[in-house]
Structure formats: C-alpha cells, structure tokens
Amino acid sequence: DIQMTQSPSSLSASVGDRVTITCQASQDISNDLNWYQQKPGKAPKLLIYDASNLETGVPSRFSGSGSGTDFTFTISSLQPEDIATYYCQQYDNLPITFGQGTRLEIK
Amino acid sequence: EVQLVESGGVVVQPGGSLRLSCAASGFTFDDYTMHWVRQTPGKGLEWVCLISWDGGTTYYADSVKGRFTISRDNSKNSLYLQMNSLRTEDTALYYCAKDLRHRSSWYGFDYWGQGTPVTVSS
C-alpha cells in the first residue's frame, strides 16, 4: 500500500497568515493526489484534484502543488472559516489511501 | 443538486451482519464509479471499496475483503454495502462517495453523504 505522510499533524495560525501543509507519498504517484477539507460533524469536501487543480467553487486562496512523492497544500491568507482538518489522498494505486490529517486552528 | 443519503447503520454484535444503503440523486448515477469510505477517530479516513459505473468491477481494501460486498442497482439509483462477520474494528462512520470522473476507474470523491454510524460491540 502507498503510505501518505502529512505534516504537521496540527497547526495554529493567525487570520491572514499563509499556511502550508505537506504530504509525502511512500512511492512515486505522479500527480495522482487530491486534497480535502473536513469541518467538525461534516463530510470531507474536495478542494484540489490532480495535485494542483482547484475544484469548482473553491476560493482561490487554496492551492496545491507537487508531483512524484512530495506535495504541498497552501492557504494564502487564512480565514476564520478555514478552521478544519485537511487530508491528502492518493489514487495512483489501490487501495486508495489518505494522509492522517492536519488539524488547523486559529491562534 | 447532488445528494447522497446513507442509511442502515446500527449497533451490531461481533460476528453479525448489516446492510448499508445509499440513495443517490442529482446526477446520472450509472455514469460514475461509487465508493464506500469509513472514518474513525483513531484511524482517520479509510477507503473501503468501490464499484464501477456498470457494476462489473469491484475492489476492496484488504481489511474487508471476503467479508464485505459492494453492489449497486442503477435502476434505483442506489448503492449498497453488505457487511458480514463484523468485527469491533469495523466500528466507524461509513460514507458513500461519488467518484469525481465520468465513466472512469477511480480518482477521488467529489460528493459525500452525511455518513451512517456502525458500532460493533457486544
């Protein structure tokens, strides 16, 4: 199975800050990676697909980059409504696997 | 508007069986691969299984292979998960999820249901 390692596991930042989360795959997955946001009590929401493509309707302050084994998710200017847990997910090989999540809090 | 509504989650004893259902609307159901994904506080998000748009292809996580069966009824816009020989470690919130690409293999999940809780406990 492909292991997805996210860091950090939790993060505290201020409104307006630039926030970066990384995800590392245990083997080359090209750009077969998606990013999700999950708010408490809600299902995950797709934000970024194919490593860098913004899902329709998602604010442009969210972005993704990377290929191969190393990926980055960025919020350019943190907003209060961005408080959530963020997950990466690979689809290069079955089983589909997720990172362990990054919990984002407001400082 | 795409909607996925799961049902069937209950408390069941170890070794028991359960059938989850997912009613889909707002999209052409038989054009998309569908998935079950589960979530626990301890293990996070875990993909469980998928079924192709025509029902002809299924794949399972090793943790459920041989015990769970995914199926679909395209005439009823419905997805199912038959869960047998349940274990305590199957306790989770189970989501049905739509694959994001039309008539393709598997990529990711652009719509999720609200989840249905399954508790396996004596």
Side-chain angles (χ1 to χ4, degrees):
Chain A
D1 297 3
I2 298 175
Q3 307 302 316
M4 305 302 293
T5 304
Q6 271 182 252
S7 61
S9 55
S10 64
L11 174 58
S12 182
S14 300
V15 172
D17 281 355
R18 182 180 184 87
V19 170
T20 298
I21 299 169
T22 64
C23 182
Q24 185 170 60
S26 59
Q27 64 188 65
D28 189 334
I29 60 169
S30 184
N31 67 334
D32 298 341
L33 184 107
N34 303 320
W35 289 95
Y36 299 85
Q37 175 194 67
Q38 186 177 32
K39 296 184 177 180
K42 300 292 187 182
K45 174 186 176 183
L46 178 66
L47 300 181
I48 303 286
Y49 63 93
D50 296 346
S52 61
N53 293 302
L54 196 66
E55 174 71 345
T56 302
V58 173
S60 59
R61 64 180 181 273
F62 296 101
S63 65
S65 64
S67 66
T69 61
D70 295 304
F71 301 86
T72 300
F73 172 82
T74 300
I75 306 173
S76 60
S77 177
L78 184 66
Q79 300 301 304
E81 60 266 31
D82 300 336
I83 298 314
T85 300
Y86 293 83
Y87 296 92
C88 60
Q89 169 248 317
Q90 69 80 23
Y91 58 86
D92 189 73
N93 272 327
L94 291 180
I96 291 171
T97 49
F98 293 86
Q100 79 279 15
T102 296
R103 177 178 287 186
L104 179 54
E105 299 174 338
I106 292 285
K107 193 181 292 183
Chain B
E1 178 194 6
V2 172
Q3 284 199 321
L4 298 170
V5 180
E6 303 95 336
S7 60
V10 291
V11 178
V12 61
Q13 291 190 338
S17 297
L18 198 55
R19 190 195 199 204
L20 305 183
S21 299
C22 173
S25 61
F27 66 103
T28 305
F29 183 69
D30 58 7
D31 274 349
Y32 291 89
T33 292
M34 296 294 295
H35 304 258
W36 288 98
V37 178
R38 65 187 181 184
Q39 186 169 30
T40 61
K43 291 185 69 177
L45 289 164
E46 181 186 15
W47 173 81
V48 175
C49 56
L50 69 82
I51 186 167
S52 60
W53 69 93
D54 62 354
T57 302
T58 58
Y59 291 104
Y60 298 89
D62 285 346
S63 57
V64 307
K65 199 174 296 182
R67 301 186 298 121
F68 289 12
T69 302
I70 187 172
S71 62
R72 65 192 296 162
D73 185 338
N74 286 343
S75 69
K76 295 182 179 178
N77 287 353
S78 292
L79 178 72
Y80 306 101
L81 184 64
Q82 178 67 42
M83 309 164 70
N84 298 332
S85 303
L86 281 160
R87 304 168 180 168
T88 55
E89 55 264 36
D90 295 319
T91 295
L93 184 65
Y94 283 75
Y95 292 103
C96 88
K98 170 186 169 293
D99 202 275
L100 65 92
R101 292 216 166 101
H102 174 269
R103 293 214 170 193
S104 58
S105 48
W106 59 85
Y107 288 94
F109 322 103
D110 59 352
Y111 289 94
W112 302 61
Q114 83 287 353
T116 188
V118 172
T119 302
V120 184
S121 173
S122 54

